[in-house]
Amino acid sequence: MKFLLAAINAKYIHSNLAVYSLKNYVEGFGEKVDIAEYTINQNLDELLADIFIKHPDVLCFSCYLWNISYVKQLLVEVKKVLPNVVIWLGGPEVSYSALKFMEAYPQVDGIICGEGEQSFLEIVEYYRGKRNSLKDINGIVYRMRKTSENEEQIVENPFRQVMDLSEVPFVYDNMDRFEHKIIYYESSRGCPFSCSYCLSSVDKRLRFRNSELVKEELQKLIDAEVPQVKFVDRTFNCKHEHALEIWKYISEHDKGKTNFHFEVAADLLNEEELSLIETMRPGLIQLEIGVQSTNPKTIKEIHRSMKFDVVKHNVDRIHKKGNIHQHLDLIAGLPYENYESFKKSFNDVYALKPEQLQLGFLKVLKGSFMYENAERYKLVYQARPPFEVLSTKWLPYEDIIRLKGIEEMVEVYYNSRQFENTLEELENIFEDSFTMFEKLSNYYNEHGLFLLNHSRIARYEILLDFIKEQDRGHIEKYRNLLTLDLYLRDNVKNRPQFSGDDTVSKEEAVQFYDREAQEHTYLQGYEDYDKRQIRKMTHLEKINGKLYLFDYKNRNMLTNQAKLITVS
Ligand code: SF4
């Protein structure tokens, strides 16, 4: 009986921790299964052919919001070319609506609901003749086919008790398979909070992996010098001792190569954690913080317990130290959040100057409290994944469209970090930051710019054209700032038109690099290069009479910007 666990990821760089956990878990009991990883960007027929060639007897799909449409199409086709294959599904996208899913897709033989390791082991044992029936396997819904008549029945077994997380095997003993991939790691499962839109709130059974085991495993990842480890823990710092112990360990054993990503509740960070974070190497950790809204009525209604004044204080404190990348999230479309109140939420969060500000839209997920209360909130949402909100009692579709435009402007001009100095100055001429992005979005709309693909340089030119409409009197100042932002990012080969002629004469540049190649006054780490090479690797620019040197070898670990040196 050949088992194939198929994972369809959103991007090539992702890997699917769940299927590796299942494989390693059952292998611990002597059962062998295979894994196939694909991406949603691959042609469906390509996957179909690959699965056909692999010819599994039992095919299992790991189902998430980002791949469920793909899985639904694929399983229908698979059954046509492999009519005898048994199909099982698992994952959050099917766990909470298993019965309905099985009714809609007769191709599916069963669904694992919730945590999968033990259920999957028992399913493998069943198909390999080590168990007599599926009826004693908890945590599954399955199709019982009655062979005599052409009848069948869908059976829902009782829920499965959660397992000890330390029994889940470590999946990264052989790192070859994960080269160029983000490594996902789980040190806790479940979430103690109850946010009404989130499926993690449905399962409150919070448990932790033994911290000694965690340290041992993290050491392997540190030794392998993997670039990034993303903790999938829903709220990593919900237990102080656990978070502190792990943060201390990675700080003390850091080799300067690995970045660790954590989702945290910023208002739960205590003094000891904050003090430790302040001492960390820039780039050692990054924090993702869900604010979602700063409207107290909204926060209460969605059952969150976030104290924004504490979030503000802690995010601000971390920001001032400048060593941690902070990613803050907002959600549009929540109860009691209209356009004006979202504007306030946005301005409150933007004022904290996170490295990334993600403006997301409510997803109405089956099984969530929000889904159950959709009528009460007059939630209108997409019928297809990701089930994103289209309008609410407080937010008409027109406003959602406006916010979509603003979201794109925030992505392009703020989150790209390519216009930092320009935006910082530009903000001052608007009543607030939200209005700046709103006006920029209106400009894109009026000029039909949303529908086109723009080069990186074109984004600078569009911003300058927009500024000409807003603040014509100071256009030179903005040209300088855009040039500064451009060169901070890249040593561009062809100087763009908006930057005007070279600001440093050939003679001045020759003199500077002659001297620098001998004296090494400004640049560190260039000692082995000659003056021509140094000139190629750096950039000189005169702004407002001051001479600046852009050092691309020594970039800022958080922003990736070149080191800016004032020469004179
Ligand atoms: S949104 Fe985050 S904090 Fe809230 S229930 Fe989900 S995982 Fe927990």
Side-chain angles (χ1 to χ4, degrees):
M1 265 281 169
K2 200 168 156 190
F3 273 75
L4 183 67
L5 288 161
I8 306 170
N9 302 323
K11 289 181 184 169
Y12 172 76
I13 195 167
H14 298 168
S15 58
N16 181 312
L17 178 60
V19 292
Y20 286 95
S21 270
L22 295 183
K23 176 181 163 70
N24 284 29
Y25 187 74
V26 301
E27 282 182 354
F29 292 85
E31 302 291 350
K32 194 181 162 335
V33 298
D34 291 319
I35 285 179
E37 273 194 285
Y38 308 103
T39 79
I40 51 171
N41 305 314
Q42 282 177 269
N43 185 305
L44 197 130
D45 292 327
E46 226 177 275
L47 269 70
L48 182 65
D50 192 65
I51 291 171
F52 178 80
I53 290 164
K54 289 189 165 72
H55 221 290
D57 299 300
V58 182
L59 173 63
C60 311
F61 287 106
S62 174
C63 304
Y64 294 92
L65 201 54
W66 63 81
N67 70 11
I68 190 66
S69 304
Y70 205 104
V71 171
K72 281 177 179 173
Q73 293 176 59
L74 191 57
L75 63 88
V76 171
E77 307 299 351
V78 164
K79 207 67 186 181
K80 291 178 191 166
V81 294
L82 293 172
N84 295 324
V85 71
V86 173
I87 297 180
W88 277 79
L89 309 180
E93 205 39 44
V94 289
S95 280
Y96 303 99
S97 52
L99 199 65
K100 274 195 185 150
F101 200 102
M102 300 263 307
E103 283 165 0
Y105 288 87
Q107 297 84 354
V108 179
D109 293 88
I111 292 179
I112 299 177
C113 303
E115 189 167 84
E117 284 86 355
Q118 282 174 342
S119 305
F120 181 60
L121 171 66
E122 292 172 16
I123 288 166
V124 174
E125 288 173 344
Y126 166 73
Y127 285 106
R128 288 187 175 152
K130 296 174 189 170
R131 282 178 176 267
N132 293 330
S133 107
L134 291 168
K135 83 174 185 325
D136 301 324
I137 304 179
N138 285 348
I140 63 166
V141 175
Y142 65 100
R143 197 179 301 277
M144 198 165 70
R145 302 190 198 269
K146 291 183 183 166
T147 41
S148 49
E149 315 115 57
N150 219 359
E151 260 180 49
E152 57 181 35
Q153 189 190 346
I154 298 171
V155 182
E156 265 184 297
N157 282 359
F159 211 78
R160 179 176 286 280
Q161 287 307 308
V162 293
M163 64 189 290
D164 177 352
L165 193 54
S166 303
E167 285 175 17
V168 175
F170 181 62
V171 304
Y172 301 112
D173 276 321
N174 176 4
M175 292 303 295
D176 293 351
R177 204 165 179 168
F178 300 99
E179 215 181 333
H180 308 303
K181 302 256 187 183
I182 296 172
I183 299 298
Y184 295 93
Y185 186 82
E186 186 176 38
S187 81
S188 66
R189 260 185 203 174
C191 180
F193 302 111
S194 310
C195 309
S196 64
Y197 51 84
C198 174
L199 289 180
S200 296
S201 68
V202 178
D203 179 5
K204 298 242 165 337
R205 294 162 300 176
L206 174 66
R207 53 244 133 90
F208 296 85
R209 195 166 175 81
N210 176 287
S211 54
E212 288 312 312
L213 198 56
V214 172
K215 289 189 236 172
E216 204 179 288
E217 292 164 353
L218 293 183
Q219 189 59 53
K220 289 182 187 167
L221 300 175
I222 294 169
D223 291 341
E225 300 189 353
V226 300
Q228 190 173 44
V229 178
K230 271 196 171 187
F231 275 64
V232 295
D233 302 34
R234 305 307 291 133
T235 305
F236 177 73
N237 62 331
C238 62
K239 186 171 155 197
H240 290 295
E241 311 82 72
H242 181 78
L244 198 64
E245 201 174 345
I246 293 173
W247 280 341
K248 265 188 187 156
Y249 188 85
I250 59 171
S251 294
E252 285 162 9
H253 296 80
D254 177 35
K255 289 191 172 171
K257 300 286 184 197
T258 306
N259 165 267
F260 294 89
H261 175 108
F262 301 95
E263 278 184 43
V264 296
D267 50 345
L268 292 186
L269 291 168
N270 62 21
E271 182 52 41
E272 208 178 346
E273 288 159 349
L274 285 164
S275 307
L276 174 65
I277 288 172
E278 283 177 338
T279 65
M280 287 178 176
R281 161 179 71 82
L284 173 65
I285 70 166
Q286 63 187 46
L287 301 178
E288 184 171 342
I289 298 160
V291 177
Q292 322 311 17
S293 167
T294 64
N295 178 345
K297 219 170 162 189
T298 299
I299 292 297
K300 187 163 180 264
E301 187 64 25
I302 61 173
H303 312 152
R304 267 175 85 79
S305 53
M306 181 211 52
K307 297 180 194 76
F308 184 63
D309 52 336
V310 185
V311 170
K312 196 167 146 184
H313 176 269
N314 291 347
V315 168
D316 199 41
R317 177 168 162 184
I318 294 170
H319 180 74
K320 283 196 176 114
K321 202 70 193 170
N323 60 336
I324 307 294
H325 173 113
Q326 297 188 95
H327 169 135
L328 268 55
D329 293 323
L330 279 173
I331 300 179
L334 294 172
Y336 296 106
E337 192 88 299
N338 61 19
Y339 193 77
E340 278 308 304
S341 94
F342 187 79
K343 175 178 174 173
K344 183 177 178 320
S345 292
F346 181 94
N347 284 330
D348 287 343
V349 172
Y350 189 88
L352 301 175
K353 296 282 169 200
E355 276 64 33
Q356 297 273 302
L357 196 176
Q358 193 181 329
L359 198 168
F361 291 81
L362 175 68
K363 294 177 180 64
V364 184
L365 304 178
K366 279 183 218 101
S368 67
F369 179 90
M370 195 64 81
Y371 175 83
E372 306 298 336
N373 287 272
E375 214 171 302
R376 184 153 72 90
Y377 300 138
K378 293 203 170 68
L379 296 178
V380 177
Y381 54 93
Q382 297 164 337
R384 58 188 156 79
F387 309 109
E388 219 172 74
V389 72
L390 297 170
S391 65
T392 76
K393 200 167 166 182
W394 301 270
L395 204 62
Y397 186 49
E398 292 80 353
D399 286 347
I400 293 274
I401 296 172
R402 286 162 81 193
L403 292 174
K404 284 272 172 188
I406 293 168
E407 179 214 6
E408 191 168 335
M409 293 298 92
V410 171
E411 278 303 311
V412 170
Y413 288 104
Y414 184 77
N415 287 341
S416 70
R417 315 302 300 171
Q418 293 177 17
F419 304 86
E420 221 173 282
N421 295 287
T422 312
L423 287 193
E424 221 169 278
E425 184 62 29
L426 190 59
E427 268 161 45
N428 298 321
I429 66 165
F430 295 96
E431 64 184 73
D432 53 49
S433 50
F434 183 89
T435 307
M436 173 175 72
F437 290 108
E438 185 186 48
K439 290 230 161 108
L440 187 52
S441 168
N442 293 345
Y443 181 86
Y444 261 70
N445 260 323
E446 285 155 18
H447 294 80
L449 296 167
F450 274 127
L451 304 173
L452 306 171
N453 280 329
H454 302 287
S455 68
R456 202 161 79 75
I457 297 297
R459 296 287 191 187
Y460 286 81
E461 286 161 351
I462 294 169
L463 186 59
L464 188 63
D465 289 342
F466 167 71
I467 294 169
K468 280 178 192 163
E469 280 194 0
Q470 306 293 325
D471 196 10
R472 183 162 275 287
H474 298 100
I475 210 67
E476 278 318 304
K477 174 176 75 180
Y478 289 107
R479 267 187 215 287
N480 288 338
L481 288 169
L482 283 167
T483 306
L484 173 69
D485 280 331
L486 179 76
Y487 281 108
L488 275 172
R489 201 76 195 173
D490 257 327
N491 192 2
V492 283
K493 294 262 175 307
N494 301 319
R495 190 174 177 84
Q497 221 183 352
F498 73 80
S499 294
D501 295 335
D502 280 339
T503 51
V504 180
S505 70
K506 282 199 177 109
E507 300 73 45
E508 200 174 351
V510 167
Q511 272 180 22
F512 174 82
Y513 285 108
D514 276 351
R515 207 171 43 242
E516 184 58 21
Q518 286 186 4
E519 298 171 4
H520 301 291
T521 312
Y522 299 102
L523 297 165
Q524 285 163 6
Y526 290 78
E527 291 76 8
D528 294 336
Y529 299 98
D530 65 28
K531 61 185 177 190
R532 280 189 49 229
Q533 289 169 315
I534 298 176
R535 189 169 176 179
K536 270 196 173 166
M537 293 162 75
T538 60
H539 175 74
L540 270 182
E541 184 77 31
K542 209 173 250 179
I543 300 173
N544 292 333
K546 278 193 174 173
L547 186 61
Y548 294 100
L549 177 64
F550 294 74
D551 173 1
Y552 299 99
K553 236 165 98 70
N554 295 297
R555 288 176 180 268
N556 182 307
M557 291 284 280
L558 293 194
T559 62
N560 202 30
Q561 286 183 350
K563 183 175 172 191
L564 187 65
I565 303 163
T566 310
V567 176
S568 62

